[in-house]
PDB file of all heavy atoms in Angstrom:
ATOM      1  N   TYR A   1      -1.380  -3.511  -4.111  1.00 95.00           N
ATOM      2  CA  TYR A   1      -2.830  -3.690  -3.903  1.00 95.00           C
ATOM      3  C   TYR A   1      -3.207  -3.958  -2.466  1.00 95.00           C
ATOM      4  O   TYR A   1      -4.245  -4.544  -2.148  1.00 95.00           O
ATOM      5  CB  TYR A   1      -3.324  -4.824  -4.804  1.00 95.00           C
ATOM      6  CG  TYR A   1      -4.689  -4.622  -5.398  1.00 95.00           C
ATOM      7  CD1 TYR A   1      -5.040  -3.461  -6.042  1.00 95.00           C
ATOM      8  CD2 TYR A   1      -5.655  -5.652  -5.287  1.00 95.00           C
ATOM      9  CE1 TYR A   1      -6.294  -3.283  -6.579  1.00 95.00           C
ATOM     10  CE2 TYR A   1      -6.913  -5.475  -5.833  1.00 95.00           C
ATOM     11  CZ  TYR A   1      -7.246  -4.295  -6.469  1.00 95.00           C
ATOM     12  OH  TYR A   1      -8.486  -4.114  -7.011  1.00 95.00           O
ATOM     13  N   GLN A   2      -2.357  -3.498  -1.549  1.00 93.00           N
ATOM     14  CA  GLN A   2      -2.605  -3.638  -0.135  1.00 93.00           C
ATOM     15  C   GLN A   2      -3.017  -2.289   0.477  1.00 93.00           C
ATOM     16  O   GLN A   2      -2.519  -1.241   0.031  1.00 93.00           O
ATOM     17  CB  GLN A   2      -1.365  -4.150   0.604  1.00 93.00           C
ATOM     18  CG  GLN A   2      -0.818  -5.470   0.033  1.00 93.00           C
ATOM     19  CD  GLN A   2      -1.764  -6.625   0.215  1.00 93.00           C
ATOM     20  OE1 GLN A   2      -2.482  -6.719   1.205  1.00 93.00           O
ATOM     21  NE2 GLN A   2      -1.792  -7.537  -0.757  1.00 93.00           N
ATOM     22  N   ASP A   3      -3.873  -2.282   1.467  1.00 92.00           N
ATOM     23  CA  ASP A   3      -4.245  -1.037   2.152  1.00 92.00           C
ATOM     24  C   ASP A   3      -3.015  -0.348   2.678  1.00 92.00           C
ATOM     25  O   ASP A   3      -2.187  -0.945   3.390  1.00 92.00           O
ATOM     26  CB  ASP A   3      -5.201  -1.321   3.290  1.00 92.00           C
ATOM     27  CG  ASP A   3      -6.599  -1.689   2.825  1.00 92.00           C
ATOM     28  OD1 ASP A   3      -6.904  -1.458   1.668  1.00 92.00           O
ATOM     29  OD2 ASP A   3      -7.375  -2.242   3.644  1.00 92.00           O
ATOM     30  N   GLY A   4      -2.832   0.915   2.316  1.00 90.00           N
ATOM     31  CA  GLY A   4      -1.685   1.676   2.763  1.00 90.00           C
ATOM     32  C   GLY A   4      -0.411   1.427   1.994  1.00 90.00           C
ATOM     33  O   GLY A   4       0.612   2.050   2.264  1.00 90.00           O
ATOM     34  N   GLY A   5      -0.483   0.550   1.003  1.00 91.00           N
ATOM     35  CA  GLY A   5       0.714   0.238   0.201  1.00 91.00           C
ATOM     36  C   GLY A   5       1.007   1.299  -0.837  1.00 91.00           C
ATOM     37  O   GLY A   5       0.118   2.083  -1.196  1.00 91.00           O
ATOM     38  N   LEU A   6       2.224   1.305  -1.350  1.00 93.00           N
ATOM     39  CA  LEU A   6       2.631   2.302  -2.352  1.00 93.00           C
ATOM     40  C   LEU A   6       2.102   1.952  -3.745  1.00 93.00           C
ATOM     41  O   LEU A   6       1.917   2.850  -4.569  1.00 93.00           O
ATOM     42  CB  LEU A   6       4.146   2.413  -2.404  1.00 93.00           C
ATOM     43  CG  LEU A   6       4.823   3.183  -1.266  1.00 93.00           C
ATOM     44  CD1 LEU A   6       6.343   3.129  -1.454  1.00 93.00           C
ATOM     45  CD2 LEU A   6       4.352   4.639  -1.228  1.00 93.00           C
ATOM     46  N   LEU A   7       1.881   0.673  -4.030  1.00 96.00           N
ATOM     47  CA  LEU A   7       1.601   0.245  -5.388  1.00 96.00           C
ATOM     48  C   LEU A   7       0.117  -0.014  -5.566  1.00 96.00           C
ATOM     49  O   LEU A   7      -0.409  -1.010  -5.052  1.00 96.00           O
ATOM     50  CB  LEU A   7       2.415  -0.988  -5.723  1.00 96.00           C
ATOM     51  CG  LEU A   7       3.945  -0.858  -5.532  1.00 96.00           C
ATOM     52  CD1 LEU A   7       4.643  -2.139  -5.963  1.00 96.00           C
ATOM     53  CD2 LEU A   7       4.496   0.345  -6.310  1.00 96.00           C
ATOM     54  N   ALA A   8      -0.540   0.839  -6.317  1.00 95.00           N
ATOM     55  CA  ALA A   8      -1.967   0.735  -6.529  1.00 95.00           C
ATOM     56  C   ALA A   8      -2.276  -0.348  -7.584  1.00 95.00           C
ATOM     57  O   ALA A   8      -1.404  -0.840  -8.279  1.00 95.00           O
ATOM     58  CB  ALA A   8      -2.533   2.076  -7.009  1.00 95.00           C
ATOM     59  N   GLY A   9      -3.554  -0.683  -7.700  1.00 93.00           N
ATOM     60  CA  GLY A   9      -3.984  -1.732  -8.599  1.00 93.00           C
ATOM     61  C   GLY A   9      -3.934  -1.362 -10.044  1.00 93.00           C
ATOM     62  O   GLY A   9      -4.058  -2.231 -10.919  1.00 93.00           O
ATOM     63  N   HIS A  10      -3.834  -0.076 -10.340  1.00 94.00           N
ATOM     64  CA  HIS A  10      -3.515   0.422 -11.686  1.00 94.00           C
ATOM     65  C   HIS A  10      -2.290   1.322 -11.549  1.00 94.00           C
ATOM     66  O   HIS A  10      -2.058   1.872 -10.493  1.00 94.00           O
ATOM     67  CB  HIS A  10      -4.698   1.170 -12.301  1.00 94.00           C
ATOM     68  CG  HIS A  10      -5.814   0.298 -12.771  1.00 94.00           C
ATOM     69  ND1 HIS A  10      -6.580  -0.432 -11.900  1.00 94.00           N
ATOM     70  CD2 HIS A  10      -6.281   0.023 -14.009  1.00 94.00           C
ATOM     71  CE1 HIS A  10      -7.474  -1.139 -12.592  1.00 94.00           C
ATOM     72  NE2 HIS A  10      -7.338  -0.845 -13.875  1.00 94.00           N
ATOM     73  N   ALA A  11      -1.541   1.468 -12.631  1.00 93.00           N
ATOM     74  CA  ALA A  11      -0.288   2.200 -12.562  1.00 93.00           C
ATOM     75  C   ALA A  11      -0.497   3.579 -11.906  1.00 93.00           C
ATOM     76  O   ALA A  11      -1.355   4.349 -12.329  1.00 93.00           O
ATOM     77  CB  ALA A  11       0.307   2.369 -13.969  1.00 93.00           C
ATOM     78  N   ASP A  12       0.316   3.867 -10.919  1.00 92.00           N
ATOM     79  CA  ASP A  12       0.160   5.093 -10.142  1.00 92.00           C
ATOM     80  C   ASP A  12       1.539   5.712  -9.888  1.00 92.00           C
ATOM     81  O   ASP A  12       2.456   5.026  -9.452  1.00 92.00           O
ATOM     82  CB  ASP A  12      -0.512   4.773  -8.800  1.00 92.00           C
ATOM     83  CG  ASP A  12      -0.840   6.007  -7.969  1.00 92.00           C
ATOM     84  OD1 ASP A  12      -0.606   7.114  -8.436  1.00 92.00           O
ATOM     85  OD2 ASP A  12      -1.309   5.806  -6.826  1.00 92.00           O
ATOM     86  N   ASN A  13       1.677   6.996 -10.195  1.00 92.00           N
ATOM     87  CA  ASN A  13       2.977   7.661 -10.043  1.00 92.00           C
ATOM     88  C   ASN A  13       3.186   8.266  -8.666  1.00 92.00           C
ATOM     89  O   ASN A  13       4.227   8.889  -8.434  1.00 92.00           O
ATOM     90  CB  ASN A  13       3.151   8.737 -11.106  1.00 92.00           C
ATOM     91  CG  ASN A  13       2.088   9.820 -11.012  1.00 92.00           C
ATOM     92  OD1 ASN A  13       0.952   9.557 -10.622  1.00 92.00           O
ATOM     93  ND2 ASN A  13       2.447  11.030 -11.387  1.00 92.00           N
ATOM     94  N   HIS A  14       2.249   8.096  -7.756  1.00 90.00           N
ATOM     95  CA  HIS A  14       2.356   8.722  -6.438  1.00 90.00           C
ATOM     96  C   HIS A  14       3.463   8.040  -5.626  1.00 90.00           C
ATOM     97  O   HIS A  14       3.327   6.879  -5.198  1.00 90.00           O
ATOM     98  CB  HIS A  14       1.035   8.634  -5.668  1.00 90.00           C
ATOM     99  CG  HIS A  14       1.073   9.319  -4.341  1.00 90.00           C
ATOM    100  ND1 HIS A  14       1.213  10.687  -4.200  1.00 90.00           N
ATOM    101  CD2 HIS A  14       0.973   8.821  -3.088  1.00 90.00           C
ATOM    102  CE1 HIS A  14       1.198  10.989  -2.908  1.00 90.00           C
ATOM    103  NE2 HIS A  14       1.055   9.879  -2.217  1.00 90.00           N
ATOM    104  N   ASN A  15       4.596   8.711  -5.458  1.00 89.00           N
ATOM    105  CA  ASN A  15       5.731   8.229  -4.674  1.00 89.00           C
ATOM    106  C   ASN A  15       6.319   6.912  -5.237  1.00 89.00           C
ATOM    107  O   ASN A  15       6.930   6.132  -4.510  1.00 89.00           O
ATOM    108  CB  ASN A  15       5.347   7.996  -3.208  1.00 89.00           C
ATOM    109  CG  ASN A  15       5.067   9.289  -2.490  1.00 89.00           C
ATOM    110  OD1 ASN A  15       5.686  10.308  -2.761  1.00 89.00           O
ATOM    111  ND2 ASN A  15       4.099   9.286  -1.579  1.00 89.00           N
ATOM    112  N   VAL A  16       6.139   6.667  -6.539  1.00 95.00           N
ATOM    113  CA  VAL A  16       6.710   5.471  -7.154  1.00 95.00           C
ATOM    114  C   VAL A  16       7.686   5.923  -8.263  1.00 95.00           C
ATOM    115  O   VAL A  16       7.267   6.340  -9.334  1.00 95.00           O
ATOM    116  CB  VAL A  16       5.604   4.566  -7.761  1.00 95.00           C
ATOM    117  CG1 VAL A  16       6.228   3.310  -8.338  1.00 95.00           C
ATOM    118  CG2 VAL A  16       4.563   4.228  -6.738  1.00 95.00           C
ATOM    119  N   PRO A  17       8.990   5.841  -8.010  1.00 96.00           N
ATOM    120  CA  PRO A  17       9.956   6.272  -9.031  1.00 96.00           C
ATOM    121  C   PRO A  17       9.823   5.470 -10.313  1.00 96.00           C
ATOM    122  O   PRO A  17       9.626   4.259 -10.293  1.00 96.00           O
ATOM    123  CB  PRO A  17      11.323   5.949  -8.353  1.00 96.00           C
ATOM    124  CG  PRO A  17      11.009   5.886  -6.904  1.00 96.00           C
ATOM    125  CD  PRO A  17       9.629   5.372  -6.784  1.00 96.00           C
ATOM    126  N   GLY A  18       9.881   6.172 -11.423  1.00 97.00           N
ATOM    127  CA  GLY A  18       9.835   5.537 -12.714  1.00 97.00           C
ATOM    128  C   GLY A  18       8.454   5.552 -13.381  1.00 97.00           C
ATOM    129  O   GLY A  18       8.340   5.308 -14.579  1.00 97.00           O
ATOM    130  N   ILE A  19       7.391   5.817 -12.606  1.00 97.00           N
ATOM    131  CA  ILE A  19       6.059   5.927 -13.187  1.00 97.00           C
ATOM    132  C   ILE A  19       5.809   7.383 -13.527  1.00 97.00           C
ATOM    133  O   ILE A  19       5.865   8.263 -12.664  1.00 97.00           O
ATOM    134  CB  ILE A  19       4.987   5.433 -12.211  1.00 97.00           C
ATOM    135  CG1 ILE A  19       5.282   3.995 -11.730  1.00 97.00           C
ATOM    136  CG2 ILE A  19       3.619   5.518 -12.847  1.00 97.00           C
ATOM    137  CD1 ILE A  19       5.028   2.944 -12.750  1.00 97.00           C
ATOM    138  N   GLU A  20       5.539   7.646 -14.795  1.00 97.00           N
ATOM    139  CA  GLU A  20       5.348   9.030 -15.247  1.00 97.00           C
ATOM    140  C   GLU A  20       3.989   9.582 -14.850  1.00 97.00           C
ATOM    141  O   GLU A  20       3.901  10.725 -14.380  1.00 97.00           O
ATOM    142  CB  GLU A  20       5.516   9.100 -16.783  1.00 97.00           C
ATOM    143  CG  GLU A  20       6.928   8.799 -17.264  1.00 97.00           C
ATOM    144  CD  GLU A  20       7.909   9.908 -16.965  1.00 97.00           C
ATOM    145  OE1 GLU A  20       7.480  11.047 -16.657  1.00 97.00           O
ATOM    146  OE2 GLU A  20       9.108   9.606 -16.980  1.00 97.00           O
ATOM    147  N   VAL A  21       2.930   8.821 -15.101  1.00 97.00           N
ATOM    148  CA  VAL A  21       1.562   9.294 -14.833  1.00 97.00           C
ATOM    149  C   VAL A  21       0.713   8.118 -14.377  1.00 97.00           C
ATOM    150  O   VAL A  21       1.018   6.955 -14.668  1.00 97.00           O
ATOM    151  CB  VAL A  21       0.927   9.927 -16.088  1.00 97.00           C
ATOM    152  CG1 VAL A  21       1.623  11.210 -16.487  1.00 97.00           C
ATOM    153  CG2 VAL A  21       0.891   8.950 -17.254  1.00 97.00           C
ATOM    154  N   ALA A  22      -0.347   8.412 -13.648  1.00 96.00           N
ATOM    155  CA  ALA A  22      -1.310   7.388 -13.280  1.00 96.00           C
ATOM    156  C   ALA A  22      -2.144   7.029 -14.528  1.00 96.00           C
ATOM    157  O   ALA A  22      -2.626   7.912 -15.246  1.00 96.00           O
ATOM    158  CB  ALA A  22      -2.233   7.892 -12.171  1.00 96.00           C
ATOM    159  N   THR A  23      -2.314   5.750 -14.775  1.00 97.00           N
ATOM    160  CA  THR A  23      -3.038   5.294 -15.955  1.00 97.00           C
ATOM    161  C   THR A  23      -3.964   4.131 -15.608  1.00 97.00           C
ATOM    162  O   THR A  23      -3.864   3.532 -14.548  1.00 97.00           O
ATOM    163  CB  THR A  23      -2.092   4.885 -17.081  1.00 97.00           C
ATOM    164  OG1 THR A  23      -1.238   3.845 -16.588  1.00 97.00           O
ATOM    165  CG2 THR A  23      -1.258   6.039 -17.592  1.00 97.00           C
ATOM    166  N   GLY A  24      -4.810   3.806 -16.551  1.00 88.00           N
ATOM    167  CA  GLY A  24      -5.736   2.701 -16.360  1.00 88.00           C
ATOM    168  C   GLY A  24      -7.139   3.070 -16.793  1.00 88.00           C
ATOM    169  O   GLY A  24      -7.950   2.203 -17.076  1.00 88.00           O
ATOM    170  N   SER A  25      -7.445   4.365 -16.803  1.00 93.00           N
ATOM    171  CA  SER A  25      -8.667   4.823 -17.440  1.00 93.00           C
ATOM    172  C   SER A  25      -8.366   4.834 -18.929  1.00 93.00           C
ATOM    173  O   SER A  25      -7.728   5.733 -19.473  1.00 93.00           O
ATOM    174  CB  SER A  25      -9.036   6.221 -16.956  1.00 93.00           C
ATOM    175  OG  SER A  25     -10.243   6.662 -17.546  1.00 93.00           O
ATOM    176  N   LEU A  26      -8.812   3.788 -19.602  1.00 96.00           N
ATOM    177  CA  LEU A  26      -8.310   3.473 -20.940  1.00 96.00           C
ATOM    178  C   LEU A  26      -8.604   4.540 -21.953  1.00 96.00           C
ATOM    179  O   LEU A  26      -9.656   5.191 -21.932  1.00 96.00           O
ATOM    180  CB  LEU A  26      -8.845   2.118 -21.395  1.00 96.00           C
ATOM    181  CG  LEU A  26      -8.412   0.940 -20.536  1.00 96.00           C
ATOM    182  CD1 LEU A  26      -9.043  -0.353 -21.042  1.00 96.00           C
ATOM    183  CD2 LEU A  26      -6.906   0.822 -20.495  1.00 96.00           C
ATOM    184  N   GLY A  27      -7.660   4.701 -22.877  1.00 96.00           N
ATOM    185  CA  GLY A  27      -7.831   5.663 -23.966  1.00 96.00           C
ATOM    186  C   GLY A  27      -7.165   7.009 -23.701  1.00 96.00           C
ATOM    187  O   GLY A  27      -7.252   7.896 -24.546  1.00 96.00           O
ATOM    188  N   HIS A  28      -6.521   7.163 -22.570  1.00 97.00           N
ATOM    189  CA  HIS A  28      -5.939   8.463 -22.222  1.00 97.00           C
ATOM    190  C   HIS A  28      -4.444   8.539 -22.389  1.00 97.00           C
ATOM    191  O   HIS A  28      -3.865   9.617 -22.572  1.00 97.00           O
ATOM    192  CB  HIS A  28      -6.287   8.818 -20.777  1.00 97.00           C
ATOM    193  CG  HIS A  28      -7.746   9.037 -20.542  1.00 97.00           C
ATOM    194  ND1 HIS A  28      -8.288   9.218 -19.284  1.00 97.00           N
ATOM    195  CD2 HIS A  28      -8.783   9.077 -21.402  1.00 97.00           C
ATOM    196  CE1 HIS A  28      -9.597   9.366 -19.386  1.00 97.00           C
ATOM    197  NE2 HIS A  28      -9.928   9.291 -20.650  1.00 97.00           N
ATOM    198  N   GLY A  29      -3.752   7.398 -22.310  1.00 98.00           N
ATOM    199  CA  GLY A  29      -2.296   7.406 -22.271  1.00 98.00           C
ATOM    200  C   GLY A  29      -1.657   8.008 -23.521  1.00 98.00           C
ATOM    201  O   GLY A  29      -0.646   8.728 -23.431  1.00 98.00           O
ATOM    202  N   LEU A  30      -2.204   7.717 -24.695  1.00 98.00           N
ATOM    203  CA  LEU A  30      -1.613   8.235 -25.904  1.00 98.00           C
ATOM    204  C   LEU A  30      -1.801   9.741 -25.990  1.00 98.00           C
ATOM    205  O   LEU A  30      -0.879  10.435 -26.457  1.00 98.00           O
ATOM    206  CB  LEU A  30      -2.222   7.569 -27.137  1.00 98.00           C
ATOM    207  CG  LEU A  30      -1.558   7.922 -28.476  1.00 98.00           C
ATOM    208  CD1 LEU A  30      -0.054   7.684 -28.449  1.00 98.00           C
ATOM    209  CD2 LEU A  30      -2.175   7.123 -29.605  1.00 98.00           C
ATOM    210  N   SER A  31      -2.934  10.256 -25.526  1.00 98.00           N
ATOM    211  CA  SER A  31      -3.109  11.720 -25.513  1.00 98.00           C
ATOM    212  C   SER A  31      -2.066  12.396 -24.629  1.00 98.00           C
ATOM    213  O   SER A  31      -1.518  13.434 -24.989  1.00 98.00           O
ATOM    214  CB  SER A  31      -4.510  12.076 -25.001  1.00 98.00           C
ATOM    215  OG  SER A  31      -5.508  11.606 -25.934  1.00 98.00           O
ATOM    216  N   ILE A  32      -1.793  11.798 -23.483  1.00 98.00           N
ATOM    217  CA  ILE A  32      -0.758  12.334 -22.591  1.00 98.00           C
ATOM    218  C   ILE A  32       0.612  12.285 -23.285  1.00 98.00           C
ATOM    219  O   ILE A  32       1.401  13.208 -23.250  1.00 98.00           O
ATOM    220  CB  ILE A  32      -0.741  11.560 -21.271  1.00 98.00           C
ATOM    221  CG1 ILE A  32      -2.053  11.716 -20.514  1.00 98.00           C
ATOM    222  CG2 ILE A  32       0.453  12.037 -20.380  1.00 98.00           C
ATOM    223  CD1 ILE A  32      -2.201  10.801 -19.302  1.00 98.00           C
ATOM    224  N   GLY A  33       0.864  11.154 -23.964  1.00 98.00           N
ATOM    225  CA  GLY A  33       2.124  11.009 -24.664  1.00 98.00           C
ATOM    226  C   GLY A  33       2.287  12.023 -25.777  1.00 98.00           C
ATOM    227  O   GLY A  33       3.387  12.563 -25.995  1.00 98.00           O
ATOM    228  N   VAL A  34       1.194  12.325 -26.504  1.00 98.00           N
ATOM    229  CA  VAL A  34       1.246  13.346 -27.527  1.00 98.00           C
ATOM    230  C   VAL A  34       1.643  14.693 -26.909  1.00 98.00           C
ATOM    231  O   VAL A  34       2.470  15.423 -27.445  1.00 98.00           O
ATOM    232  CB  VAL A  34      -0.098  13.457 -28.273  1.00 98.00           C
ATOM    233  CG1 VAL A  34      -0.179  14.713 -29.107  1.00 98.00           C
ATOM    234  CG2 VAL A  34      -0.339  12.241 -29.148  1.00 98.00           C
ATOM    235  N   GLY A  35       1.039  15.002 -25.782  1.00 98.00           N
ATOM    236  CA  GLY A  35       1.368  16.257 -25.102  1.00 98.00           C
ATOM    237  C   GLY A  35       2.816  16.331 -24.697  1.00 98.00           C
ATOM    238  O   GLY A  35       3.497  17.376 -24.872  1.00 98.00           O
ATOM    239  N   MET A  36       3.349  15.216 -24.132  1.00 98.00           N
ATOM    240  CA  MET A  36       4.759  15.194 -23.736  1.00 98.00           C
ATOM    241  C   MET A  36       5.682  15.355 -24.947  1.00 98.00           C
ATOM    242  O   MET A  36       6.669  16.080 -24.904  1.00 98.00           O
ATOM    243  CB  MET A  36       5.071  13.881 -23.018  1.00 98.00           C
ATOM    244  CG  MET A  36       4.467  13.757 -21.630  1.00 98.00           C
ATOM    245  SD  MET A  36       4.925  12.167 -20.897  1.00 98.00           S
ATOM    246  CE  MET A  36       4.247  12.374 -19.239  1.00 98.00           C
ATOM    247  N   ALA A  37       5.348  14.660 -26.024  1.00 98.00           N
ATOM    248  CA  ALA A  37       6.171  14.725 -27.224  1.00 98.00           C
ATOM    249  C   ALA A  37       6.124  16.106 -27.857  1.00 98.00           C
ATOM    250  O   ALA A  37       7.143  16.620 -28.314  1.00 98.00           O
ATOM    251  CB  ALA A  37       5.734  13.671 -28.246  1.00 98.00           C
ATOM    252  N   LEU A  38       4.949  16.730 -27.855  1.00 98.00           N
ATOM    253  CA  LEU A  38       4.800  18.070 -28.429  1.00 98.00           C
ATOM    254  C   LEU A  38       5.586  19.079 -27.577  1.00 98.00           C
ATOM    255  O   LEU A  38       6.253  19.975 -28.137  1.00 98.00           O
ATOM    256  CB  LEU A  38       3.336  18.453 -28.468  1.00 98.00           C
ATOM    257  CG  LEU A  38       2.967  19.756 -29.173  1.00 98.00           C
ATOM    258  CD1 LEU A  38       3.436  19.726 -30.616  1.00 98.00           C
ATOM    259  CD2 LEU A  38       1.451  19.993 -29.119  1.00 98.00           C
ATOM    260  N   ALA A  39       5.550  18.902 -26.253  1.00 98.00           N
ATOM    261  CA  ALA A  39       6.336  19.778 -25.371  1.00 98.00           C
ATOM    262  C   ALA A  39       7.836  19.626 -25.634  1.00 98.00           C
ATOM    263  O   ALA A  39       8.583  20.612 -25.654  1.00 98.00           O
ATOM    264  CB  ALA A  39       6.040  19.460 -23.927  1.00 98.00           C
ATOM    265  N   GLY A  40       8.274  18.377 -25.854  1.00 98.00           N
ATOM    266  CA  GLY A  40       9.667  18.138 -26.185  1.00 98.00           C
ATOM    267  C   GLY A  40      10.096  18.867 -27.472  1.00 98.00           C
ATOM    268  O   GLY A  40      11.177  19.455 -27.528  1.00 98.00           O
ATOM    269  N   LYS A  41       9.238  18.811 -28.489  1.00 98.00           N
ATOM    270  CA  LYS A  41       9.549  19.504 -29.720  1.00 98.00           C
ATOM    271  C   LYS A  41       9.608  21.026 -29.499  1.00 98.00           C
ATOM    272  O   LYS A  41      10.497  21.702 -29.979  1.00 98.00           O
ATOM    273  CB  LYS A  41       8.477  19.191 -30.775  1.00 98.00           C
ATOM    274  CG  LYS A  41       8.514  17.769 -31.305  1.00 98.00           C
ATOM    275  CD  LYS A  41       9.650  17.587 -32.282  1.00 98.00           C
ATOM    276  CE  LYS A  41       9.557  16.277 -33.023  1.00 98.00           C
ATOM    277  NZ  LYS A  41      10.685  16.048 -33.960  1.00 98.00           N
ATOM    278  N   HIS A  42       8.594  21.508 -28.757  1.00 98.00           N
ATOM    279  CA  HIS A  42       8.548  22.960 -28.515  1.00 98.00           C
ATOM    280  C   HIS A  42       9.768  23.451 -27.749  1.00 98.00           C
ATOM    281  O   HIS A  42      10.303  24.528 -28.027  1.00 98.00           O
ATOM    282  CB  HIS A  42       7.285  23.260 -27.709  1.00 98.00           C
ATOM    283  CG  HIS A  42       7.073  24.709 -27.424  1.00 98.00           C
ATOM    284  ND1 HIS A  42       7.605  25.299 -26.263  1.00 98.00           N
ATOM    285  CD2 HIS A  42       6.435  25.706 -28.089  1.00 98.00           C
ATOM    286  CE1 HIS A  42       7.279  26.581 -26.269  1.00 98.00           C
ATOM    287  NE2 HIS A  42       6.586  26.856 -27.348  1.00 98.00           N
ATOM    288  N   ASP A  43      10.206  22.651 -26.778  1.00 97.00           N
ATOM    289  CA  ASP A  43      11.347  23.055 -25.937  1.00 97.00           C
ATOM    290  C   ASP A  43      12.703  22.628 -26.514  1.00 97.00           C
ATOM    291  O   ASP A  43      13.717  22.820 -25.853  1.00 97.00           O
ATOM    292  CB  ASP A  43      11.177  22.460 -24.540  1.00 97.00           C
ATOM    293  CG  ASP A  43       9.964  23.004 -23.814  1.00 97.00           C
ATOM    294  OD1 ASP A  43       9.479  24.089 -24.197  1.00 97.00           O
ATOM    295  OD2 ASP A  43       9.482  22.320 -22.859  1.00 97.00           O
ATOM    296  N   GLN A  44      12.651  22.033 -27.684  1.00 97.00           N
ATOM    297  CA  GLN A  44      13.873  21.571 -28.373  1.00 97.00           C
ATOM    298  C   GLN A  44      14.691  20.595 -27.499  1.00 97.00           C
ATOM    299  O   GLN A  44      15.902  20.666 -27.396  1.00 97.00           O
ATOM    300  CB  GLN A  44      14.732  22.768 -28.817  1.00 97.00           C
ATOM    301  CG  GLN A  44      14.023  23.659 -29.810  1.00 97.00           C
ATOM    302  CD  GLN A  44      14.881  24.817 -30.297  1.00 97.00           C
ATOM    303  OE1 GLN A  44      15.729  25.331 -29.571  1.00 97.00           O
ATOM    304  NE2 GLN A  44      14.709  25.193 -31.547  1.00 97.00           N
ATOM    305  N   LYS A  45      13.948  19.648 -26.893  1.00 97.00           N
ATOM    306  CA  LYS A  45      14.578  18.603 -26.103  1.00 97.00           C
ATOM    307  C   LYS A  45      14.694  17.361 -26.946  1.00 97.00           C
ATOM    308  O   LYS A  45      13.906  17.129 -27.869  1.00 97.00           O
ATOM    309  CB  LYS A  45      13.740  18.294 -24.847  1.00 97.00           C
ATOM    310  CG  LYS A  45      13.510  19.483 -23.933  1.00 97.00           C
ATOM    311  CD  LYS A  45      14.814  19.912 -23.266  1.00 97.00           C
ATOM    312  CE  LYS A  45      14.544  20.999 -22.208  1.00 97.00           C
ATOM    313  NZ  LYS A  45      15.807  21.451 -21.544  1.00 97.00           N
ATOM    314  N   ASN A  46      15.656  16.497 -26.614  1.00 97.00           N
ATOM    315  CA  ASN A  46      15.861  15.312 -27.465  1.00 97.00           C
ATOM    316  C   ASN A  46      15.325  14.035 -26.815  1.00 97.00           C
ATOM    317  O   ASN A  46      15.639  12.920 -27.258  1.00 97.00           O
ATOM    318  CB  ASN A  46      17.341  15.131 -27.799  1.00 97.00           C
ATOM    319  CG  ASN A  46      18.199  14.818 -26.574  1.00 97.00           C
ATOM    320  OD1 ASN A  46      17.715  14.802 -25.457  1.00 97.00           O
ATOM    321  ND2 ASN A  46      19.480  14.588 -26.803  1.00 97.00           N
ATOM    322  N   TYR A  47      14.483  14.164 -25.775  1.00 98.00           N
ATOM    323  CA  TYR A  47      13.915  12.938 -25.185  1.00 98.00           C
ATOM    324  C   TYR A  47      12.849  12.369 -26.112  1.00 98.00           C
ATOM    325  O   TYR A  47      12.307  13.025 -26.962  1.00 98.00           O
ATOM    326  CB  TYR A  47      13.345  13.214 -23.795  1.00 98.00           C
ATOM    327  CG  TYR A  47      12.158  14.139 -23.710  1.00 98.00           C
ATOM    328  CD1 TYR A  47      10.894  13.720 -24.099  1.00 98.00           C
ATOM    329  CD2 TYR A  47      12.299  15.424 -23.192  1.00 98.00           C
ATOM    330  CE1 TYR A  47       9.776  14.565 -24.010  1.00 98.00           C
ATOM    331  CE2 TYR A  47      11.199  16.292 -23.091  1.00 98.00           C
ATOM    332  CZ  TYR A  47       9.947  15.842 -23.496  1.00 98.00           C
ATOM    333  OH  TYR A  47       8.844  16.686 -23.411  1.00 98.00           O
ATOM    334  N   ARG A  48      12.604  11.070 -25.898  1.00 98.00           N
ATOM    335  CA  ARG A  48      11.584  10.356 -26.667  1.00 98.00           C
ATOM    336  C   ARG A  48      10.463   9.923 -25.729  1.00 98.00           C
ATOM    337  O   ARG A  48      10.686   9.729 -24.532  1.00 98.00           O
ATOM    338  CB  ARG A  48      12.193   9.154 -27.352  1.00 98.00           C
ATOM    339  CG  ARG A  48      13.356   9.519 -28.279  1.00 98.00           C
ATOM    340  CD  ARG A  48      14.167   8.306 -28.675  1.00 98.00           C
ATOM    341  NE  ARG A  48      14.760   7.632 -27.527  1.00 98.00           N
ATOM    342  CZ  ARG A  48      15.415   6.464 -27.596  1.00 98.00           C
ATOM    343  NH1 ARG A  48      15.563   5.877 -28.744  1.00 98.00           N
ATOM    344  NH2 ARG A  48      15.919   5.919 -26.499  1.00 98.00           N
TER     345      ARG A  48
END
């Protein structure tokens, strides 16, 4: 939460290893997760 810092005040994946997507606009994360899970099924991947 510092000017010019890597870590934003809400989860941010910009140059931060381990963060999948920027979140904090509430109600969106599960929709993104559904898309990721559906892609995994489509591509026959075993990730969760």
Side-chain angles (χ1 to χ4, degrees):
Y1 216 51
Q2 305 295 326
D3 287 344
L6 284 177
L7 305 182
H10 285 67
D12 185 4
N13 61 328
H14 183 66
N15 292 325
V16 183
I19 304 286
E20 294 289 341
V21 294
T23 57
S25 181
L26 297 178
H28 295 172
L30 187 53
S31 294
I32 297 170
V34 167
M36 288 180 174
L38 188 58
K41 289 286 189 182
H42 181 271
D43 295 339
Q44 297 183 328
K45 302 292 187 181
N46 66 357
Y47 66 74
R48 302 166 300 173

